[in-house]
């Protein structure tokens, strides 16, 4: 499964890409919204993780434009905000799920995108036990 990660904090992006690769996902990172949208529209990804606050174009706008252009892959929003209204806006705009930063280590290693989610258009969670 190939995942696009859009996160403007490069150190966090590197850490998340490393974590995804450790769990046998292919992952590419981009650092701004415009680049994220361009990559999403290539059709080369099975899922995406978008930070809400990015330069150039925020994650919600990337999400809306991606959905308007026919991108149907599962998209998770990554946010430092914990306001319910932000989550509702994202979900109403077509996000499949939200992850709030900072992510606990167990949740980071445990959340996964179901391999069949592209066909179903939704994201499932599998929270693994910390000792696995």
């Amino acid at each position: 499964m190939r995942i696009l990660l859009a996160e403007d904090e490069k150190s966090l992006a590197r850490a998340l890409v490393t974590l995804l690769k450790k769990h046998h996902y292919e992952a590419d990172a981009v650092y701004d919204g415009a680049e994220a949208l361009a990559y999403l529209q290539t059709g080369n990804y099975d899922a995406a993780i978008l930070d809400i606050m990015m330069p150039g174009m925020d994650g919600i706008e990337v999400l809306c434009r991606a959905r308007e252009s026919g991108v149907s892959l599962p998209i998770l929003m990554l946010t430092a905000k914990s306001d319910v209204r932000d989550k509702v806006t994202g979900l109403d705009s077509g996000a499949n799920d939200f992850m709030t930063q900072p992510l606990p280590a167990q949740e980071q290693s445990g959340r996964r995108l179901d391999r069949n989610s592209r066909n179903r258009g939704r994201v499932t969670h599998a929270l693994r036990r910390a000792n696995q």
Side-chain angles (χ1 to χ4, degrees):
M1 175 179 267
R2 189 169 182 195
I3 299 172
L4 175 66
L5 171 68
E7 167 60 62
D8 62 316
E9 292 184 38
K10 291 184 180 183
S11 61
L12 178 58
R14 283 191 298 271
L16 289 172
V17 165
T18 299
L19 184 65
L20 288 166
K21 288 181 178 182
K22 178 182 174 188
H23 290 279
H24 310 289
Y25 295 105
E26 293 180 44
D28 298 320
V30 295
Y31 308 106
D32 67 63
E35 193 174 24
L37 182 60
Y39 274 63
L40 281 172
Q41 291 175 330
T42 66
N44 293 331
Y45 296 93
D46 301 302
I49 301 170
L50 304 178
D51 183 21
I52 286 186
M53 297 187 302
M54 292 186 290
M57 184 184 313
D58 69 35
I60 298 292
E61 187 174 348
V62 172
L63 172 65
C64 289
R65 289 187 183 196
R67 294 298 191 220
E68 288 169 2
S69 69
V71 173
S72 62
L73 55 84
I75 297 177
L76 289 91
M77 302 304 293
L78 184 61
T79 181
K81 300 176 179 183
S82 60
D83 185 17
V84 172
R85 289 174 293 183
D86 292 324
K87 292 180 181 180
V88 169
T89 299
L91 292 169
D92 286 347
S93 299
N96 296 86
D97 197 8
F98 267 81
M99 293 186 287
T100 304
Q101 299 173 16
L103 297 173
Q106 181 180 354
E107 187 174 5
Q108 284 181 16
S109 65
R111 282 191 182 239
R112 70 172 173 84
L113 299 171
D114 187 291
R115 293 193 186 274
N116 296 319
S117 61
R118 182 175 182 148
N119 296 331
R120 291 195 313 266
R122 62 190 176 103
V123 176
T124 61
H125 308 284
L127 293 175
R128 295 185 191 149
R129 294 167 46 127
N131 63 353
Q132 288 181 322

